[in-house]
Amino acid sequence: MTDLATIEAIPALEAEAAAIATKILLIAIRDAESFALAVEDRAEIKRRLARIEEVLGPICATAHTAWKTAVAKREGLRQPFVEADKAYSRAMGAYEQEQERQRREAEEQAKRERERLEAAERARVAAEQARLRKEAEDQRIAEAAAAEQRGDTETAARLIESPIVTPTVAPRPIFVPVALAPPKPAAPGVAFRDNWSAVVDDLSALVRAVAEGKAAITLLQPDQTALNGLARSLKGALNVPGVRAVNERIAAQRA
């Protein structure tokens, strides 16, 4: 059919489609006469469908072929770029995570070094305080012994009973160099985010969890295609728990 003939035929087809659309809600068969009319109407519908296909089928086929060719070409050209973009995205995410790991490791190392230095300083202060106390204790004993030798027992007793006073050892400030951590990767237009997904490693375990009420039933999706295939094969003998076979009687009519 020529393009001009197609253009001229379309308005008539549109009018016929609009007319049949108004009759759909009124379709009912109550007796043998309305049944016979339904057969005639369906025969006419078959002819109209054939006419629509005759007029627009070639255009659709050509357009569909062109569309499939264009889509295939587009996807073929896009695929390596899309895969490269995904590879870059994964590599950049792995790099950012590695930089973050190194940063945390550097911070943890600096923290451990500070704790080590603080513990060492506390030990030094305690040792120095103990040394000063021992020196003061030795000096007091020596002075008391000297007083005792002089016969000054009162001074000796006072020295022995008096508390030992030692200077307080102040801890020295702790200096830990700033952790040499790599800078966070950044670039204009680049942002990092988590992209979580779920992987079903054990379908049976998931089914059991749903059956036991430990997981929502919405996590399972029935295979409607497989179930319909079973219904067509087994008909009323279909026996799957939770599933029933439904039959809708329809009429087939040749054109």
Side-chain angles (χ1 to χ4, degrees), residues 26-136:
L26 304 177
I27 292 175
I29 298 177
R30 301 179 181 85
D31 48 33
E33 182 180 357
S34 58
F35 180 83
L37 289 174
V39 173
E40 293 179 6
D41 284 346
R42 289 194 70 191
E44 182 61 25
I45 287 172
K46 302 293 184 182
R47 287 191 289 272
R48 298 296 172 83
L49 289 173
R51 176 59 175 166
I52 292 171
E53 181 61 27
E54 178 187 354
V55 173
L56 294 173
I59 297 176
C60 292
T62 301
H64 186 61
T65 300
W67 176 80
K68 288 197 299 182
T69 302
V71 168
K73 176 60 69 175
R74 181 191 66 183
E75 294 307 307
L77 294 173
R78 279 171 48 86
Q79 190 64 23
F81 290 100
V82 171
E83 292 301 321
D85 184 64
K86 290 180 180 178
Y88 272 120
S89 177
R90 288 190 294 266
M92 291 167 69
Y95 174 73
E96 189 263 350
Q97 284 188 321
E98 175 61 20
Q99 298 301 96
E100 179 64 17
R101 185 194 66 79
Q102 293 181 18
R103 185 186 64 79
R104 290 196 302 267
E105 184 178 291
E107 290 178 351
E108 188 64 27
Q109 183 177 354
K111 179 183 176 182
R112 290 194 299 268
E113 180 63 12
R114 172 175 288 279
E115 291 174 350
R116 184 189 70 80
L117 294 175
E118 288 175 347
E121 181 60 16
R122 287 194 297 271
R124 186 196 69 80
V125 168
E128 182 65 12
Q129 201 75 52
R131 185 186 67 79
L132 294 175
R133 181 176 180 83
K134 185 176 184 305
E135 287 182 354

Side-chain angles (χ1 to χ4, degrees), residues 209-220:
V210 171
E212 295 170 1
K214 298 178 181 178
I217 195 171
T218 52
L219 298 180
L220 299 179

